[in-house]
């Protein structure tokens, strides 16, 4: 009986090159995101905010400081709080705007410039394309959040120094423990942006105009923040993605207050599952003509 030295065929989806091809596709997508001039400008704007905060506090009249009840009030005593203040300020507009731009380009942008059809002919399944687009979007969001935090730490260290961290509960953490709490804040903010990105990806599948998708995402994000601030709509608040996002301050309590943080993460997860499913349902049946 003839023999063969050929290895048995791998089951579908487990071919040795499948993971490598997926990673190459992801690297290509990330290079595309980072190579766009408008995204580079966006990162520069994100990084400028903590620098502006640090300089503004440095030149401000010391007698105008508050009662140390906010991150901004505590910056003069510890530059560590520049990073936290910047994240707390940017979570309402600049970071969602960055995600909206990435999400708008993800599908609508490809369709607008005529490259979406070419990507699907390679061949790349629509589910795989959508997955790579979403992962790249989340990585881009994480990069933006990390950039804000790192620049905030550097600016704070240069102007005020880094010291042990006094928590909102009045206890003191060593600088190492404080940096760990900052890392958790970064991950919490990124989880929110990942959920917003899933919503944005769905919006991006509805149109071939990236600017329209971007504007739509920003309108939805801003509307949720406004609705969440109206006390009379308290029954609606638990359904809004933004309702528990400012719970990031609870990571600076000792011990950490986990109730609102857990609700925030569960809301993020629900939005990711619902809107990624909606995006896949829409995109898998979409007539791609460009």
């Amino acid at each position: 009986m003839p023999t063969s030295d050929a290895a048995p065929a791998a089951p579908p989806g487990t071919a040795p090159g499948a993971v490598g091809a997926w990673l190459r596709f992801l690297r290509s997508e990330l290079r595309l995101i980072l190579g766009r001039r408008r995204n580079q400008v966006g990162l520069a704007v994100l990084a400028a905010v903590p620098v502006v905060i640090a300089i503004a506090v440095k030149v401000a009249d010391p007698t105008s400081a508050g009662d140390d009840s906010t991150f901004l009030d505590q910056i003069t005593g510890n530059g560590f709080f520049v990073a936290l203040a910047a994240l707390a300020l940017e979570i309402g507009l600049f970071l969602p705007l960055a995600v909206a731009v990435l999400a708008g380009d993800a599908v609508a942008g490809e369709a607008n410039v005529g490259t979406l059809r070419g990507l699907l002919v390679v061949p790349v399944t629509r589910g795989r394309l959508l997955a790579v687009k979403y992962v790249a979007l989340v990585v881009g969001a994480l990069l933006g959040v990390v950039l804000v935090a790192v620049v905030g730490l550097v600016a704070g260290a240069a102007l005020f120094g880094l010291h042990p961290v006094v928590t909102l509960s009045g206890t003191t953490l060593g600088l190492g423990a404080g940096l760990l709490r900052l890392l958790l804040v970064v991950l919490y903010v990124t989880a929110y942006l990942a959920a917003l990105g899933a919503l944005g990806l769905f919006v991006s599948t509805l149109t071939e105009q990236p600017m329209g998708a971007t504007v739509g995402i920003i309108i939805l994000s801003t509307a949720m923040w406004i609705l969440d601030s109206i006390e009379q709509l308290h029954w609606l608040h638990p359904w809004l993605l933004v309702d528990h996002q400012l719970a990031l301050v609870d990571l600076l309590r000792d011990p950490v207050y986990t109730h609102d943080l857990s609700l925030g993460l569960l809301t993020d997860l629900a939005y990711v599952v619902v809107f990624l499913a909606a995006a896949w349902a829409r995109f898998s049946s979409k007539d791609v003509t460009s």
Side-chain angles (χ1 to χ4, degrees):
M1 179 181 295
T3 59
S4 172
D5 294 332
T14 62
V19 175
W22 198 91
L23 291 175
R24 285 194 297 273
F25 191 8
L26 177 60
R27 285 197 298 270
S28 175
E29 184 66 23
L30 288 173
R31 283 197 299 269
L32 184 64
I33 288 175
L34 296 176
R36 287 191 175 112
R37 185 61 58 86
R38 61 178 175 273
N39 293 343
Q40 295 170 356
V41 172
L43 286 174
V45 171
L46 292 179
V49 171
V51 176
V52 170
I53 290 174
I55 294 175
V57 173
K58 185 68 175 179
V59 302
D61 181 359
T63 61
S64 66
D67 58 359
D68 289 347
S69 61
T70 69
F71 294 148
L72 280 172
D73 293 328
Q74 299 189 56
I75 288 175
T76 54
N78 191 347
F80 172 86
F81 287 98
V82 173
L84 292 169
L87 288 172
L89 288 174
E90 294 199 46
I91 197 175
L93 178 59
F94 290 113
L95 287 171
L97 176 59
V99 170
V101 171
L102 296 181
D105 278 335
V107 177
E110 297 279 11
N112 183 259
V113 299
T115 55
L116 183 58
R117 189 174 184 180
L119 284 174
L120 295 174
V121 171
V122 172
V124 176
T125 65
R126 296 191 181 201
R128 180 180 172 187
L129 175 62
L130 207 61
V132 169
K133 291 287 186 181
Y134 179 66
V135 172
L137 192 160
V138 173
V139 172
L142 175 61
L143 176 61
V145 179
V146 169
L147 180 65
V148 172
V150 170
V151 172
L153 282 175
V154 172
L159 295 181
F160 305 102
L162 298 178
H163 311 289
V165 178
V166 178
T167 69
L168 299 180
S169 303
T171 60
T172 301
L173 301 174
L175 183 57
L179 291 175
L180 178 59
R181 297 291 184 95
L182 178 60
L183 175 60
L184 293 177
V185 170
V186 166
L187 294 177
Y188 187 74
V189 173
T190 303
Y192 157 63
L193 296 178
L196 182 63
L199 172 60
L201 196 62
F202 169 64
V203 173
S204 190
T205 64
L206 301 177
T207 178
E208 294 185 358
Q209 298 300 322
M211 183 56 67
T214 298
V215 171
I217 298 162
I218 287 298
I219 289 175
L220 289 172
S221 174
T222 303
M224 284 191 286
W225 283 107
I226 293 174
L227 292 173
D228 195 58
S229 67
I230 301 175
E231 184 61 34
Q232 289 78 2
L233 297 178
H234 61 87
W235 56 270
L236 179 63
H237 294 172
W239 300 93
L240 299 175
L241 177 60
V242 303
D243 188 41
H244 296 288
Q245 297 317 310
L246 293 183
L248 62 87
V249 300
D250 291 335
L251 288 165
L252 265 293
R253 303 188 191 279
D254 191 24
V256 174
Y257 182 56
T258 60
H259 180 265
D260 286 346
L261 290 169
S262 299
L263 290 176
L265 292 174
L266 287 174
T267 304
D268 294 340
L269 179 59
Y271 269 70
V272 168
V273 171
V274 170
F275 285 103
L276 282 187
W280 178 84
R282 167 61 181 169
F283 190 56
S284 63
S285 60
K286 183 176 182 178
D287 183 16
V288 178
T289 58
S290 59

